[in-house]
Amino acid sequence: MLSSKDNYMYEMIRTELTDAVGEEFVGTGNADKFGHSVDYYWIPEMWHDRGMPTPKPDFVVHPGSAEEVSKVMKIANHYHIPVVPWGGGSGSQGGALPVYGGIILDMKRMNKFIGIDKESLTVTCQTGMIARHLEWRCNKEGFSTMHLPASIACATIGGFLAHRGTGVLSTKYGKIEDMVMSLEVVTPTGEIIRTLPVPRHASGPDLTMLFLGSEGTLGVITEVTLKVHPEPEAREFRAYIFKDFHTAMSAGAELMRSRLQPCAIRLYDEEETIHHVRRVFGMELDKGAYLVFGFDGPADIVECQMRRARAIMEEKYHGKDLGSKGGDLWWQNKYKFFYPPFMFHIPQAFGTLDTVATFANIENVYHAMKKVVNENFPQARFIGHFSHWYEWGCMLYARFIFEGENVPEDPAEAAALYNRVWDMAIRAAIANGGVINEHHGVGLKLGRLMKELYGPAMPVLEGIKKQLDPNNIMNPGKLGFKGI
Amino acid sequence: MNIDKYTDAIKNCRFCFMCRHLSGIGNVTFTEADTPRVRASMIYGVTMDPEKMADKDFIDTLYRSDLSRACCFHCVNHYDENSLNIAMRTDLVEKGLAPDYAKAIAENLKSSSNWEISGAAEVLYFTDRYTLQTGTVAPAFDAIMKKAGINYATVSGGCIGRALKVLGFAQDAKAAAEKFVSTVKAAGAKTLVVSNPAAYELLKNDCAEFGIEVPFAVMHTSEYILSLGLKAAKAAGDIYYLESDYLKNYNDNLPFPRQLLAAVNANIKPFGTNNEESYTCGEGAVLLPEIDETLVAKLAAYIADRADDPANDKIVVASPYTKIFLSKYTKLNVATLEEVVAEVL
Ligand SMILES: Cc1cc2nc3c(=O)[nH]c(=O)nc-3n(C[C@H](O)[C@H](O)[C@H](O)COP(=O)(O)OP(=O)(O)OC[C@H]3O[C@@H](n4cnc5c(N)ncnc54)[C@H](O)[C@@H]3O)c2cc1C
Ligand code: SF4
């Protein structure tokens, strides 16, 4: 819209923005604009790889406070300029991409650590703080957020709130939405609001939950109070190999039904087990499914829970015990495989089809997704693991991978192939009781499927969006909401 | 092109977010451009379309990197985005696209080189501009040498090549390094001791890359002083040690600074929240203050923000550069290793 600097309107708006946040915090340089045109979504990466231009913002604004965010929102509303919050850009769904140009609101300057309330065990910070920095800061005082995602080093707390992210200890400590006490939010029209100070109440519907998962479409989350936990006295892991995936899934589900409190459970399907045990343990297997779990807390309670969990694994499901070393190695390597060269990368085409369903449905979801990928895209590999477990079900972290030679060189064809896999696999999940996504969000990538998932409930979401954002300036075209 | 030597870094860093928390400049400018991911991605763009090299913004982004190498040290496979950046700068210089400020700094470095050796001795101590600028590091070293009863001479007078290399002037850097090495060789020194970790890097690693033989031992002051086996008369007490980019990230965590501190009974307390971020004010970039001193001030403020008790903490650094700029821009109480040792002997 304003993409030409020759248009004097560009300078008019830049002047207003600099008045709001300061000259040095309004970027208009090519490097910064480029940096915000590619996030962790495969399509812009592939687009750049093929030498194609990626949609750029007109301005990159770095607000330093909620008040500054508010001023920016008011300017944007006045001129109807799209505003896209950007945390670390590590989102895999294209949620932070400035597809209609406009303003990128890079939140990383809002990185203040506000403090720990040691009586209530909560921590308050601005949302542009990188999760690793927050965790380090809490660790220094003997606490942990227990939010330990693989992207801890690169994503902001705001990004996790906006996507309902999750970490490796979610089975005990919850996803980020379970960790939140309250939020400060700047609405699309520039009001600064706070949600209620506590997450459990009977004082009307829960506004906090409305903004969690809203992916920058309903407002800018500027501050958060999260729960923190003392560093546990003990944390122990144990790993097993089961004869097949179904047996391992039954054992994992039984562990959750037992109401013991594992901090983590991870189960690899048979394909991923072969690969995983080879690279982590140097072990050759031709079948079986690897399951690892752990407990943390006071040492005697960990010991007791571990004993009872082992009985489930060994006596009821006859798992082959890899011992605590088999579990510890998994824990020690939990981030390693997200680094190059281990992580999938272009020229491969790959995607994480994460979904979640009840124990009654999850195996069907897995098989349906796998079948649809295998049958329709025989050139792709499908692997999966189950990494976040609840009392009622678990999350499937499925992946499809095309080797480079199977990915069209033409970028439009490559994108079309990619989208077809997503459409088919996600529809298979939804048809079997799954949802579009469990913790990576919807973004640009999956917005088109939101109407199918929500059905007649979608207009409710659209109504909320319209009420909060009458000019449709906040991250338009994402989360299934209309574009410009 | 020089960047062709680093295609693995281009390919792997260009879409990788995993070390962004350690991006020193990125953490104070808050811009995406100041991350290994975006720099590598832009360089990938250059491989597709060399015209992109001429973009002023691209060039400035490269030149404002603090080159701490914390990312490479942290990286599981140690991809070297730092060297990629320097290789890209070298390509810019070779194509006549170096920014004016870099050219001016390089010219100044080249024209002001004039080596002087204070006398004949087996041990030569290199007093570079930062070491001299502190006004305290060379006297502290001298006090230690007197205590040890060792005769030494000093060599000083210019840039030995690291700063030129970092700016992308590889040929000039090589010439400067050759001249310095032959000067030291001609003086008959068996051991060259350096306080400035950047000089250590040049003599240990850059010279090998340039194919220059270094026919004398090169030691950082920490290693050299440790080798003297001096006994401290009193304990150095509670200190916070801030790692040097060059000694830690470039040289595989050289153990001597910490060993030396232990030898003088220092109780090293953990600074800030982690030992991964670079707390050097841009030591890796050598001349960042001449490129943009406001960035150095921000890096210093970032460090001060992380101190437990800024007014009273005793901060120890290996690098004279870091001492100068931390002292200039913060109220922290900063000493170098040499000063700490001299005080307790
Ligand atoms: C290697 C790797 C591993 C990953 N592992 C995990 C994992 O273990 N668990 C997990 O949950 N995710 C994971 N992810 C995905 C990603 O890190 C998360 O989606 C994260 O939440 C994104 O945060 P960000 O700060 O990078 O947000 P961005 O990508 O910048 O933005 C994501 C969305 O949030 C919005 N947004 C950002 N900040 C705000 C704000 N303050 N207010 C309102 N909206 C905002 C944006 O507009 C966008 O829609 C991984 C990503 C990578 C690259
Ligand atoms: S240095 Fe390693 S961690 Fe950093 S961007 Fe490159 S590949 Fe990623």
Side-chain angles (χ1 to χ4, degrees), chain A residues 188-200:
Chain A
T189 45
E191 285 75 36
I192 303 173
I193 62 168
R194 274 186 185 273
T195 64
L196 298 188
V198 288
R200 294 285 171 261

Side-chain angles (χ1 to χ4, degrees), chain B residues 118-324:
Chain B
S118 66
E122 288 198 350
V123 177
L124 259 190
Y125 177 52
F126 173 43
T127 49
D128 67 290
R129 67 183 256 194
Y130 286 133
T131 300
L132 290 174
Q133 197 182 326
T134 60
T136 50
V137 173
F141 181 74
D142 188 61
I144 295 165
M145 294 299 268
K146 286 209 173 89
K147 193 91 189 172
I150 297 174
N151 180 35
Y152 73 102
T154 58
V155 53
S156 60
C159 168
I160 67 171
R162 181 68 199 167
L164 285 163
K165 182 179 176 195
V166 158
L167 289 171
F169 294 81
Q171 289 311 318
D172 296 318
K174 184 176 174 190
E178 263 163 352
K179 192 166 165 205
F180 178 76
V181 169
S182 59
T183 305
V184 174
K185 189 177 163 192
K190 291 212 170 76
T191 303
L192 179 75
V193 183
V194 300
S195 282
N196 186 344
Y200 183 84
E201 170 64 13
L202 178 107
L203 293 158
K204 283 285 183 184
N205 299 322
D206 294 338
C207 281
E209 191 188 311
F210 292 146
I212 301 172
E213 192 202 342
V214 179
F216 43 84
V218 175
M219 288 173 131
H220 183 252
T221 29
S222 57
E223 181 181 8
Y224 181 72
I225 298 169
L226 195 62
S227 74
L228 301 177
L230 297 169
K231 289 274 169 290
K234 56 182 177 177
D238 285 352
I239 59 111
Y240 295 84
Y241 174 60
L242 305 190
E243 304 280 358
S244 144
D245 292 336
Y246 281 115
L247 300 184
K248 176 174 170 255
N249 301 330
Y250 283 71
N251 281 285
D252 205 15
N253 207 4
L254 208 70
F256 308 118
R258 283 175 181 272
Q259 287 176 1
L260 179 63
L261 288 168
V264 294
N265 301 318
N267 173 34
I268 307 179
K269 297 175 77 177
F271 181 83
T273 59
N274 68 91
N275 195 33
E276 284 204 82
E277 286 183 282
S278 163
Y279 295 139
T280 66
C281 300
E283 178 200 12
V286 191
L287 293 174
L288 192 59
E290 290 182 37
I291 294 175
D292 185 349
E293 192 155 343
T294 62
L295 289 176
V296 178
K298 287 181 184 173
L299 290 168
Y302 187 87
I303 299 168
D305 268 0
R306 276 140 189 83
D308 287 343
D309 181 358
N312 297 308
D313 290 346
K314 186 167 180 186
I315 308 288
V316 179
V317 298
S319 159
Y321 168 93
T322 305
K323 164 155 180 161
I324 293 165

Side-chain angles (χ1 to χ4, degrees), chain A residues 40 84-91 95-96 107 127 149-151 154-156 158-160 162-163 165-166 215-216 219-221 338 439-440 475, chain B residues 17-18:
Chain A
Y40 193 50
V84 184
W86 176 291
S90 71
M107 297 299 291
T127 55
S151 54
C154 53
T156 60
F160 284 115
H163 269 330
T166 198
E215 303 191 1
V220 186
I221 307 170
F338 287 90
H439 69 262
H440 287 109
N475 211 356
Chain B
F17 291 76
M18 298 302 278

Side-chain angles (χ1 to χ4, degrees), chain B residues 50-71:
Chain B
E51 298 266 297
K52 290 192 168 146
M53 255 175 111
D55 185 280
K56 179 181 176 311
D57 216 54
F58 164 68
I59 295 171
D60 287 345
T61 303
L62 293 182
Y63 273 92
R64 69 169 177 259
S65 168
D66 58 323
L67 298 177
S68 75
R69 216 165 184 265
C71 50

Side-chain angles (χ1 to χ4, degrees), chain A residues 173-209:
Chain A
Y173 297 98
K175 293 181 74 206
I176 195 117
E177 63 262 36
D178 304 310
M179 301 174 173
V180 175
M181 298 291 294
S182 70
L183 302 175
E184 177 189 73
V185 178
V186 180
T187 66
T189 45
E191 285 75 36
I192 303 173
I193 62 168
R194 274 186 185 273
T195 64
L196 298 188
V198 288
R200 294 285 171 261
H201 58 79
S203 311
D206 194 345
L207 265 189
T208 300
M209 283 293 159

